[in-house]
Amino acid sequence: MKNVSMLALAVCTAGTLFAAEVGDSFLLHTKNTTLALCRQQGSWNVLHYGAKVSSQSDAFALAWNRWAGGNSVSQRRPAAYAAYGGDKDGGYGFNKFGGLQVTHADGCLTLHLVGEKAETLPDETGVTHLVLVQRDRFYPFWVVQHFRALEKCDVIETWIELRNGEDGAVRLGRMDSFAMGFPLIANAFRFQYVTGQWAAEAQLRETSIERGQTVSIGSRSGVRDAWENNASFMLTAGETSSETSGRVFGGVLCWSGSWGISVQRDHCDFVEIRAGADTSAGAYVLDAGKSITLPKFAFTFSSKGKGQISRNIHRWARDWQLPAGSKLRPVLLNSWEGSYFSFTEKVLHDMMDGVKEMGGELFVLDDGWFGTGKYARDDVHKDKVGLGDWVINPEKLPNGLVGLSDEAKARGLKFGFWVEPEMVNTNSWLYEAHPEWVIREKNRPVNVGRGGSQTVLDYSNPAVRQNTYNQLDALYSKILDLAYIKWDANADFYNMGSTYLDAAHQANLPFDYTVGLYDLLAKLRAKYPQVDIQACSSGGGHVDFGFLRYADEFWGSDDSDARERVFIQWGESQFYPACTIAAHVTDVPNHQTHRTTPLKYRFDVAMSARLGFELHPKNMSAEDVAFAKKCVADYKRIRPTVQQGDLYRLVSPYDNNYAALMYVNEEATHAVVFLWGLARGNWSDFVPPLALQGLADDKSYAVKEINVAKGRKHCRVDGRILGGSALGSMGLPVRLSGDYDSAVFELTAK
Ligand code: GLA
């Protein structure tokens, strides 16, 4: 028990001077919500989370205080942080579901948390930062639970620090960041999430949670954490919710490794929500005297439906989570679909000419520029070789990345390039020198993925991270105006083991890998703050708010078909703001689906997010280039509203053969409406007027259709000035005809 006093001291010192002690109850407010907490029988419980409650005594009086459970054996406490173990000394109430399970140094399997101290910490940003220091009633093991209430966006961030003051290591069988219990709050629940696969990410699904059920989503990929399910969800409390109605809880786990989220509605309608890092590889071993900080979980509530949940999290992302959330994202051209592995300097220079002509701002060189000798990633070897060797292939690019960035600069473009830092090919100089640096099992061959030779580096090992850092640093530092990195990751953990970790700590690998990845990202971001990062992982595999602490945007899918992107971006928009969603105009027939859609349609879809190109401009006709030029110029004008404004999803593609959404700037003086037809049942199907949202009732707006192709307009009131309230109640009259017709309208307050 030697570390006890030291740990207790550490717990107390943060904010000793200004921290304010909290009594036995506390209301944590944001603009429209309240989390009401209360210490009962020594432990911190939740009285309420939802719409605002302003008095502690009201919260106490109205809370469901019989807890849930028809008989006291199954009764559960609405814990602020539910752990596996006893809730009451010598009484009933053993929570066998809690999100934290600790096996103590002496083998004891349970926790019994009591509130040791509660205080609010000073926060220079004006945020309320509440800290609940909880300790096991017997063991020197601390759970320090943090809450930061972010007023304007109605989001509460929470995270957990675990401190082991025991004489030996403890094992964490479950280590959730959020494990909150709610007593009876509704008699119906619905769980919305997104799921998918390669080139079909973020498909929206919703299921009811019946009494006695637990609904879970998760990823055990280790790397492509968002490829299948995304670490985010909405929970409707009550029969139903829509974009504009219903009581909805929304949460996101900020983690790029394996994870799990579950909502349990037990046999007595008690609800426990859990979210955290996955421990299916085995219990995490936390050594004596050590602490660990678990990933952040951010949550919000609205009694006005799912749209408000999205807007809250979008605002939170821009204001608090993204590295530079208020910076406008550039219009770029990425070389991948335009040339794949087949390029020369001349091909790339021609592409740059095309970007410049269309008004683009950044050129990004994708895969295929690196590797030397027998491991050169050329047109013959393609993706079979070279990952891990981040040096230029001089055969392909004699003037290197520096030469290319100079060429970009000469055309007034910024420059960026692709890299896949977490990966290595077994066909590489790096692997030849360090076969022990990959994730692998001691006595088994290494399993590989893409190209028959790709596998994952062991980032729990600081030497491996340092090697990547040194290689990237050498590249970054030579390119003076480097503006952008596309950070790809095209594999999962195909193996599970580390030559760096000792036998006792093998199961720490998944968690320590992600912590190591963040360490590398943080170092690069700190040294090169001006270099934006795109998170890519075989498309949408790294779409998570853990990565987006370091990355500015993500490549949402390798499927660039505009019609499919309507769905994918719809799913991603549930939690991720438009400034983070990279959407590229590509060639037709589309390379993934072989579908041909009009250029206008492709622009109309891509312009609803972060617009870019992924094609060779020389394959475009002069007429198409002229149209593109006009679209890019218009995009630059609407960009602040699209990338920084509030999103209103108007018509879902899941319920109709068309879809519509709009963005409104904060002052409600500018709005942009997007309307996309899907495959139409009948060319003349009528689209009802679009009831616009988010406009000011007392303002009038000039309606202007933009991206007009071949003189075809889609609205009979184009050019008129109309009242915000009428546009909301009567709606904007619009027309679509045939497959893949679309329209974009700009509304400007007069
Ligand atoms: C992944 C990415 C693509 C592209 C290729 C390059 O599939 O998702 O966008 O960068 O790798 O190999």
Side-chain angles (χ1 to χ4, degrees):
M1 305 269 164
K2 57 186 180 296
N3 293 305
V4 175
S5 51
M6 184 267 295
L7 277 164
L9 194 67
V11 170
C12 298
T13 45
T16 306
L17 281 179
F18 309 106
E21 283 281 349
V22 167
D24 273 341
S25 62
F26 192 77
L27 299 186
L28 193 61
H29 297 299
T30 64
K31 192 170 64 179
N32 298 299
T33 73
T34 300
L35 174 63
L37 299 162
C38 178
R39 186 156 38 190
Q40 294 170 305
Q41 294 170 1
S43 306
W44 281 97
N45 290 339
V46 175
L47 297 179
H48 166 74
Y49 176 59
K52 202 154 193 166
V53 168
S54 45
S55 114
Q56 295 196 6
S57 66
D58 283 355
F60 200 79
L62 295 171
W64 177 263
N65 60 7
R66 279 174 283 153
W67 298 351
N71 58 53
S72 48
V73 180
S74 57
Q75 202 171 64
R76 290 166 71 181
R77 172 171 83 75
Y81 187 61
Y84 183 85
D87 275 342
K88 282 184 260 166
D89 261 351
Y92 295 121
F94 185 147
N95 185 348
K96 302 193 181 68
F97 300 96
L100 177 67
Q101 190 278 323
V102 178
T103 305
H104 297 276
D106 67 1
C108 172
L109 296 168
T110 57
L111 264 180
H112 184 162
L113 289 179
V114 290
E116 192 179 67
K117 182 171 182 144
E119 57 192 10
T120 53
L121 294 186
D123 189 316
E124 65 283 4
T125 53
V127 164
T128 310
H129 185 164
L130 171 70
V131 183
L132 304 180
V133 180
Q134 301 165 72
R135 206 201 105 135
D136 186 90
R137 200 177 276 281
F138 179 77
Y139 293 93
F141 184 86
W142 282 265
V143 170
V144 183
Q145 189 172 20
H146 295 257
F147 294 100
R148 284 178 82 232
L150 306 172
E151 164 80 10
K152 191 170 161 196
C153 56
D154 275 331
V155 167
I156 298 178
E157 296 179 339
T158 182
W159 69 97
I160 298 285
E161 291 169 71
L162 302 176
R163 297 176 179 176
N164 177 13
E166 301 185 23
D167 282 339
V170 301
R171 297 161 66 78
L172 310 175
R174 284 194 298 282
M175 48 196 291
D176 284 340
S177 299
F178 187 75
M180 200 173 260
F182 300 91
L184 191 69
I185 46 178
N187 53 14
F189 295 90
R190 295 188 68 79
F191 182 82
Q192 180 191 284
Y193 63 108
V194 297
T195 188
Q197 54 177 301
W198 178 74
E201 295 88 342
Q203 305 297 309
L204 200 59
R205 292 290 179 273
E206 184 167 295
T207 177
S208 110
I209 310 178
E210 298 301 322
R211 183 177 289 173
Q213 282 187 332
T214 301
V215 169
S216 302
I217 53 171
S219 166
R220 293 184 180 175
S221 155
V223 181
R224 291 187 282 213
D225 60 282
W227 222 23
E228 298 135 359
N229 301 319
N230 191 279
S232 59
F233 67 99
M234 292 192 201
L235 178 71
T236 298
E239 282 303 329
T240 185
S241 66
S242 69
E243 287 290 334
T244 52
S245 69
R247 289 189 291 154
V248 187
F249 175 101
V252 293
L253 180 70
C254 307
W255 189 239
S256 311
S258 299
W259 57 273
I261 289 175
S262 61
V263 178
Q264 181 191 32
R265 174 184 178 190
D266 80 0
H267 55 297
C268 301
D269 282 340
F270 182 95
V271 168
E272 195 169 287
I273 304 176
R274 297 185 290 269
D278 172 68
T279 50
S280 54
Y284 190 94
V285 176
L286 186 63
D287 289 330
K290 296 280 187 204
S291 14
I292 186 172
T293 302
L294 305 181
K296 183 162 68 181
F297 180 75
F299 59 101
T300 185
F301 171 86
S302 172
S303 46
K304 298 199 176 90
K306 292 170 182 161
Q308 192 59 46
I309 294 291
S310 299
R311 288 187 289 281
N312 291 350
I313 295 288
H314 292 171
R315 187 179 289 276
W316 162 77
R318 290 191 305 260
D319 290 355
W320 296 101
Q321 187 67 6
L322 292 165
S326 59
K327 184 171 154 187
L328 293 180
R329 314 287 318 136
V331 177
L332 61 81
L333 183 140
N334 173 296
S335 68
W336 182 240
E337 287 200 19
S339 68
Y340 294 105
F341 290 106
S342 315
F343 54 78
T344 59
E345 284 185 341
K346 166 86 172 65
V347 167
L348 300 178
H349 297 166
D350 286 351
M351 278 185 160
M352 289 181 193
D353 285 337
V355 190
K356 190 191 170 197
E357 193 181 353
M358 292 189 289
E361 297 157 315
L362 167 69
F363 174 77
V364 181
L365 172 61
D366 210 278
D367 195 354
W369 56 266
F370 54 91
T372 55
K374 64 179 177 178
Y375 297 135
R377 196 134 159 133
D378 53 25
D379 215 8
V380 178
H381 296 102
K382 296 196 163 73
D383 59 5
K384 294 180 180 55
V385 300
L387 294 176
D389 302 336
W390 302 112
V391 286
I392 199 82
N393 172 358
E395 318 273 300
K396 227 167 168 179
L397 298 174
N399 293 294
L401 295 175
V402 175
L404 282 179
S405 80
D406 288 345
E407 290 287 340
K409 196 171 182 183
R411 292 164 175 83
L413 300 173
K414 292 188 168 164
F415 177 74
F417 64 92
W418 178 100
V419 69
E420 201 174 350
E422 297 163 71
M423 302 295 158
V424 66
N425 284 118
T426 51
N427 301 322
S428 66
W429 300 114
L430 182 73
Y431 187 80
E432 275 196 17
H434 288 291
E436 78 286 7
W437 275 5
V438 303
I439 291 178
R440 64 188 309 161
E441 290 130 50
K442 203 169 164 195
N443 300 310
R444 302 186 202 283
V446 175
N447 295 313
V448 290
R450 186 180 180 191
S453 61
Q454 178 163 342
T455 199
V456 184
L457 287 168
D458 177 4
Y459 275 173
S460 73
N461 182 345
V464 180
R465 307 196 299 261
Q466 190 62 42
N467 175 276
T468 310
Y469 177 84
N470 293 345
Q471 291 199 58
L472 294 183
D473 186 34
L475 286 173
Y476 279 39
S477 57
K478 281 195 207 102
I479 307 169
L480 292 182
D481 298 313
L482 182 64
Y484 183 98
I485 288 294
K486 175 174 173 179
W487 183 296
D488 210 342
N490 293 305
D492 303 323
F493 285 180
Y494 305 125
N495 308 281
M496 186 55 77
S498 166
T499 59
Y500 171 73
L501 298 170
D502 65 19
H505 293 83
Q506 286 294 303
N508 291 10
L509 177 62
F511 192 89
D512 288 358
Y513 172 87
T514 303
V515 172
L517 169 65
Y518 290 160
D519 175 60
L520 173 62
L521 280 161
K523 280 199 188 117
L524 285 167
R525 194 86 210 195
K527 181 154 181 202
Y528 300 99
Q530 79 286 3
V531 179
D532 294 356
I533 298 178
Q534 179 186 73
C536 176
S537 181
S538 309
H542 261 330
V543 181
D544 66 77
F545 280 116
F547 216 101
L548 286 169
R549 187 83 188 128
Y550 308 98
D552 303 85
E553 61 171 41
F554 55 81
W555 182 228
S557 178
D558 274 354
D559 185 347
S560 62
D561 176 310
R563 191 255 178 205
E564 310 247 315
R565 276 297 187 121
V566 169
F567 288 87
I568 293 168
Q569 291 167 200
W570 195 268
E572 289 168 345
S573 82
Q574 301 297 313
F575 287 99
Y576 300 92
C579 61
T580 61
I581 305 176
H584 296 174
V585 172
T586 56
D587 213 347
V588 286
N590 179 266
H591 294 191
Q592 295 79 38
T593 63
H594 313 296
R595 182 183 279 126
T596 296
T597 54
L599 184 63
K600 170 179 167 51
Y601 189 77
R602 284 173 273 150
F603 267 103
D604 286 0
V605 172
M607 281 171 66
S608 70
R610 195 283 280 137
L611 172 67
F613 295 90
E614 204 166 314
L615 42 68
H616 198 317
K618 80 164 193 271
N619 297 333
M620 296 168 75
S621 67
E623 191 191 350
D624 283 355
V625 169
F627 182 73
K629 217 168 152 173
K630 178 90 183 39
C631 290
V632 171
D634 283 345
Y635 183 74
K636 287 180 181 166
R637 192 179 62 255
I638 63 172
R639 172 162 56 183
T641 300
V642 170
Q643 294 190 4
Q644 297 286 316
D646 278 331
L647 166 70
Y648 294 85
R649 286 180 297 260
L650 304 177
V651 181
S652 168
Y654 286 88
D655 305 329
N656 301 276
N657 60 6
Y658 66 103
L661 56 76
M662 66 186 287
Y663 296 96
V664 185
N665 70 352
E666 208 172 345
E667 303 76 31
T669 53
H670 190 235
V672 189
V673 180
F674 294 89
L675 168 69
W676 310 291
L678 305 169
R680 312 276 295 152
N682 175 323
W683 76 271
S684 66
D685 273 352
F686 293 113
V687 174
L690 294 175
L692 303 188
Q693 295 177 35
L695 300 179
D697 281 353
D698 58 355
K699 287 190 169 65
S700 291
Y701 296 86
V703 177
K704 180 172 181 249
E705 179 162 0
I706 60 172
N707 288 9
V708 176
K710 300 182 175 49
R712 281 194 54 235
K713 294 204 175 177
H714 299 80
C715 176
R716 64 182 164 76
V717 295
D718 186 39
R720 297 277 297 273
I721 296 178
L722 296 159
S725 93
L727 287 165
S729 60
M730 296 179 70
L732 186 70
V734 290
R735 186 179 59 224
L736 287 176
S737 54
D739 289 348
Y740 316 124
D741 195 8
S742 57
V744 183
F745 305 98
E746 185 179 0
L747 278 75
T748 311
K750 290 290 157 195

